[in-house]
Amino acid sequence: MNMNILNYYKSLSAFILLGPLCFGQYQFEVKDASKNYDAIITINNCFDDQCMDKGTVELFDNKNSKVQTFTSDNLVLYLGKGQRLERGKIIPLAKEQSPLIFGDFNFDGTDDLAIRNGNMGNYSSASYDVYVFNSTRMSFVKSKELTELGSDNFDFFETDPVRKRLIAFGKSGCCNFFTTEYEVIPNKGLDKVLEKQEDESEDGYVKVIIKEKKNNKWTTRTKVYPSDQYNREK
């Protein structure tokens, strides 16, 4: 076989094998999601105005030095109005579009990071892998407890830095809503201290059941409110 033809087929084979790896990826930039970090996100596959596929997150500090690289089996993000997908160009993402959440989840004074990993939460809501910053290793380490909390409830949990509590939400059917609070105990983990159920299944009334842990003992109190006098946000 002619050497030029042989080289052509070798090049063609390499293109077929490596083409999707080199040319099938999209890159995004996240700035201002944290005062300490920026990120470059690479996702293997996107379509229309969204991406839902395996991807990587490269974290950079304020000096533009790479801090750490993470992977997610199912990064999920959506483009904003007027944005379009372009290979070979870094697409900026606003904070609300980002599959990343920064915050001090264990109340130790340092930024931690949650990375979207699909829709495995309550009612197929967003789920997250959660990484906490380990000052001894000087790196982010995946937390099993916080990942479970960020994956099993309705969207991402809230933080209460004053009481040092994490607050998770869930629902069942049309009419039952759940709130669970956890205390963060340094070097130990999470301690569930409150469960609240709001039952709106009976027309005209809301039954609220609160179970609370104090001094290692659980107490339960129940109260019924007229629906027109009850505000779930309070």
PDB file of all heavy atoms in Angstrom, residues 197-215:
ATOM      1  N   GLN A 197     -43.368  18.458  60.201  1.00  0.00           N
ATOM      2  CA  GLN A 197     -44.265  18.012  59.136  1.00  0.00           C
ATOM      3  C   GLN A 197     -45.460  18.962  59.072  1.00  0.00           C
ATOM      4  O   GLN A 197     -46.109  19.235  60.088  1.00  0.00           O
ATOM      5  CB  GLN A 197     -44.768  16.590  59.388  1.00  0.00           C
ATOM      6  CG  GLN A 197     -45.751  16.107  58.327  1.00  0.00           C
ATOM      7  CD  GLN A 197     -46.342  14.747  58.634  1.00  0.00           C
ATOM      8  OE1 GLN A 197     -45.975  14.125  59.638  1.00  0.00           O
ATOM      9  NE2 GLN A 197     -47.255  14.281  57.800  1.00  0.00           N
ATOM     10  N   GLU A 198     -45.737  19.443  57.875  1.00  0.00           N
ATOM     11  CA  GLU A 198     -46.899  20.300  57.649  1.00  0.00           C
ATOM     12  C   GLU A 198     -47.864  19.550  56.736  1.00  0.00           C
ATOM     13  O   GLU A 198     -47.591  19.349  55.556  1.00  0.00           O
ATOM     14  CB  GLU A 198     -46.459  21.621  57.021  1.00  0.00           C
ATOM     15  CG  GLU A 198     -45.559  22.446  57.941  1.00  0.00           C
ATOM     16  CD  GLU A 198     -44.777  23.505  57.199  1.00  0.00           C
ATOM     17  OE1 GLU A 198     -43.813  23.143  56.477  1.00  0.00           O
ATOM     18  OE2 GLU A 198     -45.122  24.687  57.324  1.00  0.00           O
ATOM     19  N   ASP A 199     -48.972  19.126  57.317  1.00  0.00           N
ATOM     20  CA  ASP A 199     -49.944  18.280  56.626  1.00  0.00           C
ATOM     21  C   ASP A 199     -51.148  19.135  56.206  1.00  0.00           C
ATOM     22  O   ASP A 199     -51.913  19.618  57.052  1.00  0.00           O
ATOM     23  CB  ASP A 199     -50.382  17.154  57.560  1.00  0.00           C
ATOM     24  CG  ASP A 199     -51.378  16.195  56.910  1.00  0.00           C
ATOM     25  OD1 ASP A 199     -51.799  16.457  55.763  1.00  0.00           O
ATOM     26  OD2 ASP A 199     -51.736  15.197  57.554  1.00  0.00           O
ATOM     27  N   GLU A 200     -51.304  19.320  54.900  1.00  0.00           N
ATOM     28  CA  GLU A 200     -52.396  20.134  54.370  1.00  0.00           C
ATOM     29  C   GLU A 200     -53.440  19.271  53.649  1.00  0.00           C
ATOM     30  O   GLU A 200     -54.165  19.741  52.771  1.00  0.00           O
ATOM     31  CB  GLU A 200     -51.834  21.190  53.409  1.00  0.00           C
ATOM     32  CG  GLU A 200     -50.835  22.123  54.059  1.00  0.00           C
ATOM     33  CD  GLU A 200     -50.265  23.156  53.104  1.00  0.00           C
ATOM     34  OE1 GLU A 200     -50.730  23.209  51.940  1.00  0.00           O
ATOM     35  OE2 GLU A 200     -49.355  23.900  53.499  1.00  0.00           O
ATOM     36  N   SER A 201     -53.522  18.007  54.027  1.00  0.00           N
ATOM     37  CA  SER A 201     -54.404  17.078  53.314  1.00  0.00           C
ATOM     38  C   SER A 201     -55.880  17.282  53.660  1.00  0.00           C
ATOM     39  O   SER A 201     -56.763  16.881  52.902  1.00  0.00           O
ATOM     40  CB  SER A 201     -53.997  15.631  53.613  1.00  0.00           C
ATOM     41  OG  SER A 201     -54.049  15.370  55.002  1.00  0.00           O
ATOM     42  N   GLU A 202     -56.157  17.897  54.804  1.00  0.00           N
ATOM     43  CA  GLU A 202     -57.545  18.115  55.201  1.00  0.00           C
ATOM     44  C   GLU A 202     -57.979  19.516  54.786  1.00  0.00           C
ATOM     45  O   GLU A 202     -57.338  20.510  55.160  1.00  0.00           O
ATOM     46  CB  GLU A 202     -57.710  17.942  56.711  1.00  0.00           C
ATOM     47  CG  GLU A 202     -59.158  18.002  57.163  1.00  0.00           C
ATOM     48  CD  GLU A 202     -59.311  17.718  58.644  1.00  0.00           C
ATOM     49  OE1 GLU A 202     -58.354  17.196  59.245  1.00  0.00           O
ATOM     50  OE2 GLU A 202     -60.391  18.009  59.187  1.00  0.00           O
ATOM     51  N   ASP A 203     -59.058  19.604  54.051  1.00  0.00           N
ATOM     52  CA  ASP A 203     -59.533  20.900  53.560  1.00  0.00           C
ATOM     53  C   ASP A 203     -59.789  21.870  54.709  1.00  0.00           C
ATOM     54  O   ASP A 203     -60.465  21.535  55.693  1.00  0.00           O
ATOM     55  CB  ASP A 203     -60.836  20.725  52.767  1.00  0.00           C
ATOM     56  CG  ASP A 203     -60.579  20.131  51.376  1.00  0.00           C
ATOM     57  OD1 ASP A 203     -59.418  20.134  50.947  1.00  0.00           O
ATOM     58  OD2 ASP A 203     -61.562  19.669  50.751  1.00  0.00           O
ATOM     59  N   GLY A 204     -59.190  23.069  54.546  1.00  0.00           N
ATOM     60  CA  GLY A 204     -59.451  24.130  55.513  1.00  0.00           C
ATOM     61  C   GLY A 204     -58.520  24.156  56.703  1.00  0.00           C
ATOM     62  O   GLY A 204     -58.555  25.103  57.495  1.00  0.00           O
ATOM     63  N   TYR A 205     -57.654  23.127  56.834  1.00  0.00           N
ATOM     64  CA  TYR A 205     -56.792  23.067  58.007  1.00  0.00           C
ATOM     65  C   TYR A 205     -55.370  22.639  57.626  1.00  0.00           C
ATOM     66  O   TYR A 205     -55.157  21.940  56.640  1.00  0.00           O
ATOM     67  CB  TYR A 205     -57.343  22.083  59.050  1.00  0.00           C
ATOM     68  CG  TYR A 205     -58.668  22.524  59.638  1.00  0.00           C
ATOM     69  CD1 TYR A 205     -59.861  22.048  59.091  1.00  0.00           C
ATOM     70  CD2 TYR A 205     -58.716  23.407  60.699  1.00  0.00           C
ATOM     71  CE1 TYR A 205     -61.093  22.443  59.606  1.00  0.00           C
ATOM     72  CE2 TYR A 205     -59.939  23.817  61.227  1.00  0.00           C
ATOM     73  CZ  TYR A 205     -61.111  23.345  60.675  1.00  0.00           C
ATOM     74  OH  TYR A 205     -62.310  23.750  61.177  1.00  0.00           O
ATOM     75  N   VAL A 206     -54.423  23.059  58.470  1.00  0.00           N
ATOM     76  CA  VAL A 206     -53.029  22.614  58.348  1.00  0.00           C
ATOM     77  C   VAL A 206     -52.615  22.041  59.703  1.00  0.00           C
ATOM     78  O   VAL A 206     -52.698  22.735  60.730  1.00  0.00           O
ATOM     79  CB  VAL A 206     -52.082  23.772  57.968  1.00  0.00           C
ATOM     80  CG1 VAL A 206     -50.643  23.261  57.884  1.00  0.00           C
ATOM     81  CG2 VAL A 206     -52.505  24.409  56.657  1.00  0.00           C
ATOM     82  N   LYS A 207     -52.206  20.783  59.715  1.00  0.00           N
ATOM     83  CA  LYS A 207     -51.717  20.166  60.954  1.00  0.00           C
ATOM     84  C   LYS A 207     -50.193  20.195  60.939  1.00  0.00           C
ATOM     85  O   LYS A 207     -49.564  19.704  60.000  1.00  0.00           O
ATOM     86  CB  LYS A 207     -52.215  18.727  61.089  1.00  0.00           C
ATOM     87  CG  LYS A 207     -51.763  18.073  62.397  1.00  0.00           C
ATOM     88  CD  LYS A 207     -52.515  16.783  62.696  1.00  0.00           C
ATOM     89  CE  LYS A 207     -52.110  15.665  61.765  1.00  0.00           C
ATOM     90  NZ  LYS A 207     -52.704  14.369  62.156  1.00  0.00           N
ATOM     91  N   VAL A 208     -49.625  20.777  61.988  1.00  0.00           N
ATOM     92  CA  VAL A 208     -48.170  20.911  62.081  1.00  0.00           C
ATOM     93  C   VAL A 208     -47.669  20.056  63.237  1.00  0.00           C
ATOM     94  O   VAL A 208     -48.101  20.226  64.387  1.00  0.00           O
ATOM     95  CB  VAL A 208     -47.756  22.384  62.298  1.00  0.00           C
ATOM     96  CG1 VAL A 208     -46.234  22.495  62.395  1.00  0.00           C
ATOM     97  CG2 VAL A 208     -48.288  23.248  61.164  1.00  0.00           C
ATOM     98  N   ILE A 209     -46.779  19.126  62.930  1.00  0.00           N
ATOM     99  CA  ILE A 209     -46.180  18.252  63.938  1.00  0.00           C
ATOM    100  C   ILE A 209     -44.689  18.574  64.012  1.00  0.00           C
ATOM    101  O   ILE A 209     -43.973  18.477  63.006  1.00  0.00           O
ATOM    102  CB  ILE A 209     -46.378  16.773  63.583  1.00  0.00           C
ATOM    103  CG1 ILE A 209     -47.863  16.448  63.412  1.00  0.00           C
ATOM    104  CG2 ILE A 209     -45.761  15.872  64.651  1.00  0.00           C
ATOM    105  CD1 ILE A 209     -48.126  15.077  62.826  1.00  0.00           C
ATOM    106  N   ILE A 210     -44.223  18.959  65.182  1.00  0.00           N
ATOM    107  CA  ILE A 210     -42.815  19.306  65.361  1.00  0.00           C
ATOM    108  C   ILE A 210     -42.196  18.360  66.390  1.00  0.00           C
ATOM    109  O   ILE A 210     -42.666  18.273  67.534  1.00  0.00           O
ATOM    110  CB  ILE A 210     -42.647  20.767  65.822  1.00  0.00           C
ATOM    111  CG1 ILE A 210     -43.164  21.717  64.738  1.00  0.00           C
ATOM    112  CG2 ILE A 210     -41.174  21.067  66.132  1.00  0.00           C
ATOM    113  CD1 ILE A 210     -43.106  23.177  65.128  1.00  0.00           C
ATOM    114  N   LYS A 211     -41.156  17.652  65.966  1.00  0.00           N
ATOM    115  CA  LYS A 211     -40.374  16.809  66.867  1.00  0.00           C
ATOM    116  C   LYS A 211     -39.016  17.482  67.061  1.00  0.00           C
ATOM    117  O   LYS A 211     -38.339  17.818  66.082  1.00  0.00           O
ATOM    118  CB  LYS A 211     -40.178  15.417  66.278  1.00  0.00           C
ATOM    119  CG  LYS A 211     -41.489  14.660  66.061  1.00  0.00           C
ATOM    120  CD  LYS A 211     -41.236  13.295  65.423  1.00  0.00           C
ATOM    121  CE  LYS A 211     -42.548  12.563  65.182  1.00  0.00           C
ATOM    122  NZ  LYS A 211     -42.312  11.243  64.533  1.00  0.00           N
ATOM    123  N   GLU A 212     -38.646  17.686  68.322  1.00  0.00           N
ATOM    124  CA  GLU A 212     -37.419  18.438  68.596  1.00  0.00           C
ATOM    125  C   GLU A 212     -36.579  17.720  69.640  1.00  0.00           C
ATOM    126  O   GLU A 212     -37.103  17.173  70.619  1.00  0.00           O
ATOM    127  CB  GLU A 212     -37.765  19.848  69.071  1.00  0.00           C
ATOM    128  CG  GLU A 212     -36.599  20.796  69.083  1.00  0.00           C
ATOM    129  CD  GLU A 212     -37.028  22.247  69.244  1.00  0.00           C
ATOM    130  OE1 GLU A 212     -38.228  22.486  69.558  1.00  0.00           O
ATOM    131  OE2 GLU A 212     -36.185  23.140  69.053  1.00  0.00           O
ATOM    132  N   LYS A 213     -35.269  17.746  69.406  1.00  0.00           N
ATOM    133  CA  LYS A 213     -34.334  17.086  70.312  1.00  0.00           C
ATOM    134  C   LYS A 213     -33.652  18.122  71.195  1.00  0.00           C
ATOM    135  O   LYS A 213     -33.000  19.044  70.691  1.00  0.00           O
ATOM    136  CB  LYS A 213     -33.283  16.320  69.502  1.00  0.00           C
ATOM    137  CG  LYS A 213     -32.282  15.537  70.338  1.00  0.00           C
ATOM    138  CD  LYS A 213     -31.287  14.830  69.429  1.00  0.00           C
ATOM    139  CE  LYS A 213     -30.278  14.023  70.205  1.00  0.00           C
ATOM    140  NZ  LYS A 213     -29.278  13.374  69.310  1.00  0.00           N
ATOM    141  N   LYS A 214     -33.806  17.981  72.512  1.00  0.00           N
ATOM    142  CA  LYS A 214     -33.145  18.851  73.481  1.00  0.00           C
ATOM    143  C   LYS A 214     -32.605  17.998  74.617  1.00  0.00           C
ATOM    144  O   LYS A 214     -33.321  17.156  75.156  1.00  0.00           O
ATOM    145  CB  LYS A 214     -34.123  19.896  74.031  1.00  0.00           C
ATOM    146  CG  LYS A 214     -34.516  20.965  73.023  1.00  0.00           C
ATOM    147  CD  LYS A 214     -35.416  22.014  73.652  1.00  0.00           C
ATOM    148  CE  LYS A 214     -35.773  23.096  72.651  1.00  0.00           C
ATOM    149  NZ  LYS A 214     -36.659  24.137  73.247  1.00  0.00           N
ATOM    150  N   ASN A 215     -31.326  18.236  74.927  1.00  0.00           N
ATOM    151  CA  ASN A 215     -30.669  17.444  75.983  1.00  0.00           C
ATOM    152  C   ASN A 215     -30.805  15.943  75.714  1.00  0.00           C
ATOM    153  O   ASN A 215     -31.070  15.149  76.630  1.00  0.00           O
ATOM    154  CB  ASN A 215     -31.243  17.793  77.356  1.00  0.00           C
ATOM    155  CG  ASN A 215     -31.050  19.256  77.712  1.00  0.00           C
ATOM    156  OD1 ASN A 215     -29.999  19.838  77.424  1.00  0.00           O
ATOM    157  ND2 ASN A 215     -32.057  19.861  78.320  1.00  0.00           N
TER     158      ASN A 215
END
